Amino acid sequence: MSVHTKLLLRHQRPFIAFWLARVGTASGFQMLTVAIGWQLYTLTGNVLDLGLVGLVEFLPRILFILLTGHVADRFDRRKVAALCQGAQGLVALALLIGTTLGGLSREMIFLIAFLLGSARAFEMPTTQALLPNIVPPGLFPAAVAASASAMQTATIVAPALGGLLFALDAGWVYGPAALLYGAALSLMLSLPARQLPLKQKASLDSLLAGFRFIRSRPEVLGAISMDMFAVLLGGATALLPVFAKDILLTGPWGLGLLRSAPALGALLMSLWLAYFPIERRVGPVIFISVAIFGVATIGFGLSTSLWFSLATLVLLGAADMVSMVIRGAFVQLQTPDEMRGRVGAVNGLFIGASNQLGEFRAGVSAAWFGSVPAVLIGGVGALLVSGAWLKLFPELAKRDRMHEPQDAAEAMATAGTGPVSR
């Protein structure tokens, strides 16, 4: 066990509660995602609907982009995160009632997806901004990897469990998901209050500070935009129900395994990075990881074997985790605490664009060209992005260390945010 990990576990007990809360909320979301995707595809048989669900979940990130970051900076982050988790638990209960009563229509699923996306739009920047309030800066890179392992742990177990429960009865998925959200809520409220909430009232200048901050840092902008476009083009998550049912000839349990496979690769990589954080040559590493992501996507698109498909998805998840950890450390280590919510909201918009809009892109491409060509086009697109960003962001390609002490101060001066009154 590395020194970073020993210190993290020995001296940061609140981090354990935070980690477990992340496991709970991520598990609940993954179980809902598997059930909603299979239920919708079974209901309509339309592959485009799978992409539309991703679009509907992404819309709140755009609609509330300025508000979500300000809420995370102005109010107690623990309470905001807990409120969002409670709202997602109510969504799970609504799905349970709708499924039990047999009144869950296509339109109702889209409405529920919008509500789920709204709660997650507020939760993501809040929990991202909360982590630096729990661990000291010296442990933060290891904490990012360890925190990411919570989501990947949940994503391995929860989709497979959700698929198994759905195969027994659709309604069996939603009750346990609601309980997991309730547990996450309780753990989040148990964290110590170490944040000094922002006293500044909302203004256009304050709300736009997150955009200015990211624009002022070429390495940060390059990292999050490359990840966004690579996953936007290469993401195939929305099409997993199609591959499971029509190409790999498996059932809900197979779909659960397919959704778990990227998380397995990501978990293994996150554990490695928690023990051995990336300290040098982070620029070249992130470019290599995006290229590997594209190659793995192409391999998945060509596969007709369940086990080979699982292997490519494991590799895909491991490569994506490297990019995610570097991006997360860049953003959080270079951002002052009073701005982390607003910067996190912008970062969340990039992440949502890559995930939810990526699902919409995949659904549209599959409707136009077919599911296999849609995945292959996406994999090639991810490779092209990694090459193009070498030219567009040479600062990122040359980046050696994860964090330099003067980064945040320089960025604040460039962004022109100035001191914030409390």
Side-chain angles (χ1 to χ4, degrees), residues 46 112 199 209 273 336 362:
N46 188 349
I112 289 175
K199 301 300 183 183
L273 294 176

Side-chain angles (χ1 to χ4, degrees), residues 35-370:
I36 289 173
W38 191 272
Q39 197 163 1
L40 182 61
Y41 188 58
T42 302
L43 181 66
T44 69
N46 188 349
V47 67
L48 182 59
D49 283 340
L50 297 176
L52 289 174
V53 167
L55 178 62
V56 170
E57 286 187 10
F58 175 68
L59 283 178
R61 293 182 189 267
I62 299 177
L63 295 175
F64 308 133
I65 176 63
L66 298 179
L67 184 60
T68 55
H70 189 81
V71 167
D73 284 336
R74 178 153 191 177
F75 300 102
D76 189 329
R77 290 167 183 159
R78 303 168 307 145
K79 295 179 180 179
V80 173
L83 182 62
C84 294
Q85 290 155 359
Q88 292 172 80
L90 293 177
V91 166
L93 291 177
L95 285 165
L96 174 61
I97 295 171
T99 300
T100 302
L101 299 178
L104 205 60
S105 64
R106 173 179 178 269
E107 291 71 23
M108 184 63 69
I109 291 176
F110 284 145
L111 174 60
I112 289 175
F114 179 83
L115 297 175
L116 183 63
S118 298
R120 286 176 58 79
F122 282 88
E123 181 190 21
M124 177 174 288
T126 303
T127 53
Q128 286 181 347
L130 184 60
L131 181 57
N133 298 139
I134 298 174
V135 297
L139 297 177
F140 191 73
V144 171
S147 176
S149 73
M151 180 170 289
Q152 305 313 323
T153 300
T155 310
I156 292 171
V157 178
L161 177 60
L164 177 61
L165 292 174
F166 192 92
L168 296 175
D169 186 272
W172 285 23
V173 181
Y174 303 122
L179 292 176
L180 286 168
Y181 280 118
L185 183 156
S186 299
L187 288 166
M188 194 61 67
L189 291 177
S190 72
L191 296 176
R194 294 177 178 172
Q195 172 198 3
L196 293 176
L198 180 70
K199 301 300 183 183
Q200 185 182 25
K201 294 184 178 180
S203 66
L204 183 60
D205 182 71
S206 171
L207 295 174
L208 293 176
F211 288 95
R212 289 198 305 271
F213 187 92
I214 289 179
R215 187 182 61 184
S216 72
R217 305 302 297 165
E219 299 97 331
V220 175
L221 179 60
I224 64 177
S225 60
M226 179 169 64
D227 181 83
M228 180 190 75
F229 281 105
V231 177
L232 175 64
L233 294 174
T237 303
L239 300 179
L240 291 183
V242 181
F243 275 80
K245 186 175 182 180
D246 300 337
I247 296 175
L248 302 176
L249 305 179
T250 183
W253 66 273
L255 172 61
L257 291 177
L258 290 172
R259 289 196 64 93
S260 298
L264 175 60
L267 174 62
L268 295 175
M269 181 57 67
S270 66
L271 292 176
W272 173 268
L273 294 176
Y275 278 72
F276 305 102
I278 300 173
E279 297 180 349
R280 305 297 298 270
R281 296 182 58 80
V282 296
V285 168
I286 194 173
F287 279 96
I288 293 172
S289 67
V290 171
I292 293 174
F293 177 87
V295 171
T297 301
I298 294 172
F300 173 76
L302 294 173
S303 174
T304 56
S305 163
L306 175 61
W307 301 112
F308 184 76
S309 296
L310 292 172
T312 59
L313 291 175
V314 168
L315 178 61
L316 180 151
D320 188 48
M321 174 54 62
V322 175
S323 174
M324 191 193 83
V325 168
I326 294 175
R327 182 189 70 239
F330 272 169
V331 172
Q332 297 296 338
L333 285 174
Q334 298 184 35
T335 307
D337 185 60
E338 65 268 15
M339 288 186 61
R340 285 194 173 115
R342 285 164 289 172
V343 172
V346 179
N347 186 38
L349 179 64
F350 278 81
I351 295 173
S354 63
N355 293 330
Q356 276 76 49
L357 282 187
E359 292 180 4
F360 178 66
R361 190 280 315 166
V364 172
S365 298
W368 287 353
F369 308 114

Side-chain angles (χ1 to χ4, degrees), residues 387-411:
W389 258 241
L390 280 170
K391 299 292 185 180
L392 294 174
F393 295 93
E395 301 91 345
L396 176 61
K398 298 175 183 177
R399 181 82 180 197
D400 183 41
R401 295 183 180 275
M402 190 78 73
H403 173 61
E404 299 294 342
Q406 71 274 17
D407 282 343
E410 291 177 354

